[in-house]
Amino acid sequence: MLDAEPPVVVNTTPVVALSVLEHLDLLYLLFGPVLIPPAVQREVEAGGKARPGATELSAAPWIKVTPLKDPSRA
């Protein structure tokens, strides 16, 4: 991970896929702090703690929920 790199923004897919593989921490190891939009948080947590990624997301303090400045670009 390079210290000067801008933060990484991810969608639902890497959060869920890496959680299923029990390697969500790879995002942090590769990129440092990770940002997700509120919509990604809602999608991952939909269906409660039984959904893959929901528990892991809440246990990852390095994933920050951040509103998009320009949602039309998403």
Side-chain angles (χ1 to χ4, degrees), residues 55-66:
T55 301
E56 294 83 358
L57 180 61
S58 64
W62 46 269
I63 297 179
K64 306 289 184 199
V65 179
T66 306

Side-chain angles (χ1 to χ4, degrees), residues 1-11 14-15 18 26-37 40 62-66 68:
M1 173 184 71
L2 300 175
D3 292 332
E5 291 295 317
V8 171
V9 179
V10 299
N11 63 17
V15 174
L18 289 170
L26 285 178
L27 283 176
Y28 183 73
L29 293 173
L30 291 171
F31 304 111
V34 173
L35 305 178
I36 61 170
V40 171
W62 46 269
I63 297 179
K64 306 289 184 199
V65 179
T66 306
L68 297 173

